[in-house]
Each structure stands twice: as C-alpha cells, then as structure tokens.
Amino acid sequence: MSSQSERTPLLSDRPPNPDAGPSNQDANALKNPPSASARRATGLREIVLFIWALVATAGVVVLAVVLQHHSSTSHPAQPIAPTDPVAGGPYSPTPPSVGKKKKRNLIFMVSDGMGPTSLSLTRTFRQFVSGLPMDDTLTLDRHFWGSSRTRSTNSWVTDSAAGATAFSCGRKSYNGAISMLPGHKPCGTVLEAAKRRGFRTGLVVTTDLTDATPACFASHVDFRMQMDEIALHEVGEGPLGRVVDLMLGGGRCHFLPNTTAGSCRADDIDVVRLATEKHGFAYKGDRQGFDELRRGKNVSLPLLGLFAAADIPFEIDRRHMADVYPSLSEMAEAALTALDAATRDSDEGFFLMIEGSRIDHAGHFNDPAAQVREVLEYDKTFKLVLDFLDKSDTEGVLVATSDHETGGLATAWQAPNELPVYNWYPAVLARANASAEHCTRLLLQHVSAYPAESERALMDWINQELVIRRLGIPDALEMELSALATNPTAALTVFSKMISQRARVGWSTHGHSAVDVNVYSSGGPGTEKIRGNVENTDIGKFLAEYLGVDVDEITRELQDKLVAQGVPSSEKEKERASVEEQELSRLGAQVGGEWKESFGM
Ligand SMILES: *[C@@H]1O[C@H](CO)[C@@H](O)[C@H](O)[C@H]1NC(C)=O
Ligand SMILES: *[C@@H]1O[C@H](CO)[C@@H](O)[C@H](O)[C@H]1NC(C)=O
Ligand SMILES: *[C@@H]1O[C@H](CO)[C@@H](O)[C@H](O)[C@H]1NC(C)=O
Ligand SMILES: [Zn+2]
C-alpha cells in the first residue's frame, strides 16, 4: 500500500485515536492541511478540473463537466456510526415515520452552488435592471426558511456528491459519493423509497443527468466520475431496477454508444435503446421532441428527455437559442404537469427533484453576469412550483436549498492599491448579454477558423465582437486584450475577471466554500422541523418523513444485494482505484495545460 498517501491526501499520518469516536479519521482529515507532497501527489485530482475538448471538425469547444475529483479519492474507510453527532444531527424524525398518509406531492429544489451572496447579487441586479423599489425582493426571499450546514465526512468543504447524498439518503458521506456511505455501503434514497411505495418520481436538471445531484437520487456508485455506470442505473439497470419515471435535462452523450457521433461513453452500450426497449421509456432527444410534450400535456411515462449533449447553455446564452434548448422553468412546468396527470387517480402523489444546476458552474467560472441570470431563472421556477401547489387539490410541499456555495462570492471587491469604494455595480452585469463561457467558445472557433490572423487583428476582433458587443465592456485594457489573443484557451478566466472587477464583485476560489447555505420552503405539514439552522442531512430526513417512506428498508435491501454479489471490499477498492485511474487518464488527456496553470492546479 505504498500509494496510501496518494489515495488519502486529506488524511494525516497520525494514527487514529480510538477514544475520539467513530469519525476520528474524519476529524484528523479536517484538522490537518495536506502536506506539500500530498498536494503534489494529487496534482491533477485536486480542487477542480475544467475539461475542454476541442472538437476539431466543428471547431467547437465543448465545456464539459466540472469535477471535484480529489474528493472521490480521499474518503475514510469507516462508516459513520448512527450515534455520530454530526451524522445524526439534532433532527429527530418521528419514529416510525412510515405509514399511511394523505396523498402528498413533494417538490425538492436544489440550487447547486448558490450561497447567500448570490441572492444579494441577484436581488440588486433585478432592482437595477427593472427599476424596482429598494425593498423589492425575489420570490425566494419571501420564502426564506433557514440555513443548512454542509460539511461532508471528510472535508469541511463538501462537493455536490456528498451534498446530494445528504439530501437523498439523509446521511453524511465523503466527497464524491453517489448515495454511498463510507466503506462502499450503498444507502437507500428518498426517490427509491418513494417509488417503492407507489409515488411517481422525476428529475429535472440543466446539466448532465448523470451529474452528481441527480445521480444521487437514482444510482449508487463509489464516485461521481463513474457516469457511464450512473446512466445505466438511471434508466433501470441499477440494483433496484427502474426507479425514475421522468428525467429531463442534458448529458445525452452519456446515453449514446461510443460508436455514435456525440457519445462520451467509454463503451458501446446504447443506453437510450436499453431505456426504450427494455425499460419502456418514451425518448425525446431535442427541442422538437420537447415541444411534442406540449408542456407536459402529451406525456407518457416513463419519459427520458435529453436536450443537450452535455450542459444546457447558461440562461444568459440559452435565451438567444430558445429554439434549440428548453429552459429550467419550461422543463419544470412539463414535469409538474405530467406527474400531476399521471397521479390524478392514484393513492400516492409524486416526488420531483428540480436542480438549477449551473448556478454552480457560473460560480466555478467566477462569472457574475451568467450567475444572476441562472438565479433569476431558478427563482422563476420556484414561483412556478409555488403556483402549482396553490392550484393543486393534492397536499404538497416545496423545499429548496443548495448543496454548497461556489466561488466564495462577495458583493464587494477592493482593487489592488485602491481604497474600498463601498459599492458594487450591477450595470456592468446588465450590459453583458453572453457568458464568459460562450465568449470563450466563440473565440476558440474564430482562432481555429483564422489561424494565420495577426495578434493585432485578433485583439481588434476580440474587442469589437466579444468584449464590446457581448460583454458590453467599452474600456478594455491593452493588457487584457493581449492576454486573450495570446492565450485563447485561458480566456474564460480573463473574461470573467474583466466583468467581475469592473462590477467590483469578488471571488475567493474557483471551487466551493464552507459557508452555510439558505433553505427555502412553501411551508406546510412538518416543515417547522427544518426551520432555523439545520444540518444538510436534516433536509434529507425531512424529505423521507414527509412522504412517509422508509429509506432504511431500501438501504438494507441494497446492502444485502451487495453481500449477495459477494464482492469483497478489498476487491471493490481495487476495482474502484482502477476505474479512477482510467478516468483520470482519459480526462487528463483532454485538459489543456493552460487551464491547469490558470487555476493553479
Ligand atoms: C467502444 O467500446 C468497446 C466495448 O465496450 C471497446 O472495446 C472499444 O474500444 C470502444 N471504442 C472506442 C473508440 O472507445
Ligand atoms: C404527442 O406525443 C406523441 C408521442 O410522442 C407524438 O407522436 C405526437 O406528435 C405528440 N402530439 C403533438 C400534438 O405534439
Ligand atoms: C448582444 O448585444 C449586441 C448589441 O448590444 C448585439 O449586437 C448582439 O447581437 C447581442 N447578442 C446576442 C446574442 O443577442
Ligand atoms: Zn461545484
């Protein structure tokens, strides 16, 4: 085990103290910063990977998924005992919470990467652009419920996988875990338990459906990068068979065999075909297919809708491509209408998870102009769900929260060698009509179309077409334009910085932060239990309790199945490590050196 330190970079080399309780290993991990050698050893896997693949034929750069890879390599081997104060939290579900309840619907919304500052930023932005009074608020503000603490078992700073496992299973786990507990033990999810009890179930997202948040509700894998496996579980090839009735979002490439253009699978499994032929899904793969759903009135379940190869574009860009991609609110509306119709005559209602997935990406890219539009679209979707609940005859509850904050966002930034200005400038965000991501894509397309262009000509083109026309910045510095022209693959950070600094918006990281995130709710039966400052697992426990379903029963079934498969845990560990290495080399090959440089990785 010479690679122990590589595998567990966050763990100190001090022996565990047996008196310190079951999460002692975690505690050590949290006390000690990784050593310099451990940091070097983790290299590629630390913090975040921004993956760009240059598709030569189209000359298009596809921005792929953001990964917090180190997380999946550093989880402790010990499961958290149920008595662990952190894992258990102060929340005490009414035992036994399972039993016959009145017909209920539950909508759970996740704003990935949205911290409290995102709300201040967006509220002010909206007041500014719409000329609204000083006390005007977002719909979310009027449904503020409390806040949630987000640490995982092995880090103070969670990733989306451990964050979503806290919601889906009501249990803390390690960064990277897809509804798995420390020690490779799967945990039953609220969606699986709901399906078992006769509820209809749905997932709506704006990123890949195989991404960590949706994955945690309907699949079980050791770490989030196993997206090929996650896609299989989601359509019904997992340990429990099919558990999801409706899935709408992006990530089509994970469902197509590697023999097909537009696939990003490592194998030749046609997951769409498995979904339709073996598991009975109706499949819609584009905007026309989405329109055929007639806003949810022409849906037969189960339904799989994959409307983008990877992410659905940021709202700031998508609104100019509305004939290609549906928005979060459009997909949510279709899902609510379809699930409502499908449960009209049944004893049980539905469970629907809706994620504003790309608030997080705007945070990773430090792009405030993109983020405010993502948050506004999320707020609009939140209102749409409230309106649905108001009109519905079936009792229902909406709970919304974030898995973590992203970016360490601040609504203030002090320029070097200047005094603080006691202000920030939403006008700068208002003038931009494209994301830094989209501008980078346009720049890379341009560079590959005109490889012989002089640096001066390129700088002029960048200034006219991207900086002035899309970002609305009239006063670019020579230094900025030259940085963009000489190193286009690093343009994303330069564009984001140009906006942020002029708006006096600050960021402290391209990763996540540990700040508590807000909880919002429609209110309703039992929601008092998640008032105030709660643990993220309390939210997960509430979801299961509200529906009156038993996730522990599913956990036992999953763990029995694992034992029945007879895979010893050391074998599993080896297998996991090997998949991880393969994934890393596959992805590493696609990561531009400049990207790693610019993020100090
Ligand atoms: C496609 O998948 C098959 C089997 O799953 C594998 O043998 C083959 O190498 C893959 N091809 C590519 C181009 O990745
Ligand atoms: C309704 O859905 C069916 C099946 O997907 C499709 O063939 C039909 O065109 C849709 N109807 C409308 C009016 O879009
Ligand atoms: C952004 O705004 C500029 C003018 O302000 C316009 O020329 C450009 O077409 C807009 N971009 C999009 C995508 O609408
Ligand atoms: Zn993230």
Side-chain angles (χ1 to χ4, degrees), residues 284 291-292 294 298:
K284 301 290 177 188
D291 291 339
E292 283 168 11
R294 302 284 141 193
N298 184 32

Side-chain angles (χ1 to χ4, degrees), residues 129-375:
V129 293
S130 308
L132 298 166
M134 281 188 220
D135 60 354
D136 187 78
T137 54
L138 303 173
T139 304
L140 284 164
D141 292 321
R142 297 191 290 278
H143 293 84
F144 178 76
W145 211 249
S147 59
S148 159
R149 307 184 294 269
T150 64
R151 64 160 285 188
S152 67
T153 56
N154 69 333
S155 179
W156 302 115
V157 179
T158 188
D159 80 325
S160 293
T165 298
F167 303 142
S168 63
C169 296
R171 301 285 297 270
K172 292 275 186 184
S173 194
Y174 55 92
N175 286 9
I178 300 295
S179 286
M180 282 292 206
L181 302 175
H184 312 301
K185 292 201 163 72
C187 51
T189 77
V190 58
L191 185 145
E192 292 163 341
K195 178 68 186 172
R196 181 63 56 87
R197 191 159 272 262
F199 286 85
R200 293 291 197 155
T201 58
L203 299 171
V204 172
V205 303
T206 48
T207 185
D208 299 22
L209 271 160
T210 51
D211 199 45
T213 309
C216 280
F217 287 88
S219 68
H220 301 274
V221 297
D222 288 323
F223 69 106
R224 58 186 297 173
M225 287 167 75
Q226 295 168 278
M227 292 204 184
D228 289 354
E229 185 75 14
I230 290 168
L232 285 167
H233 285 210
E234 287 180 337
V235 301
E237 296 285 293
L240 302 173
R242 185 176 66 78
V243 292
V244 201
D245 293 309
L246 174 147
M247 280 183 276
L248 303 177
R252 194 194 302 119
C253 76
H254 302 286
F255 293 79
L256 301 175
N258 70 0
T259 47
T260 314
S263 166
C264 54
R265 289 189 71 81
D267 60 31
D268 57 4
I269 301 175
D270 187 340
V271 187
V272 168
R273 197 161 147 190
L274 265 175
T276 53
E277 291 181 4
K278 184 169 168 194
H279 298 285
F281 277 89
Y283 174 67
K284 301 290 177 188
D286 54 20
R287 176 80 217 202
Q288 191 197 329
F290 181 78
D291 291 339
E292 283 168 11
L293 303 176
R294 302 284 141 193
R295 302 165 74 187
K297 295 195 191 81
N298 184 32
V299 168
S300 73
L301 298 182
L303 168 68
L304 174 63
L306 298 168
F307 305 115
D311 296 316
I312 290 185
F314 281 125
E315 181 57 26
I316 192 175
D317 305 317
R318 190 211 62 84
R319 61 183 56 168
H320 309 296
M321 320 168 192
D323 54 341
V324 187
Y325 305 99
S327 67
L328 180 65
S329 54
E330 285 178 300
M331 291 190 291
E333 182 194 29
L336 288 167
T337 304
L339 291 170
D340 189 44
T343 52
R344 194 157 297 147
D345 300 319
S346 54
D347 292 343
E348 305 293 354
F350 62 82
F351 170 74
L352 173 63
M353 193 285 294
I354 302 170
E355 184 192 35
S357 317
R358 303 205 67 207
I359 299 169
D360 174 67
H361 297 184
H364 279 291
F365 300 158
N366 292 358
D367 182 347
Q371 182 165 91
V372 291
R373 275 78 168 193
E374 290 302 297
V375 175

Side-chain angles (χ1 to χ4, degrees), residues 109 139-140 142 378-388 398:
M109 290 183 67
T139 304
L140 284 164
R142 297 191 290 278
Y378 182 78
D379 192 59
K380 179 180 174 183
T381 307
F382 185 90
K383 177 162 191 311
L384 185 134
V385 175
L386 286 178
D387 291 347
F388 168 85
L398 165 60

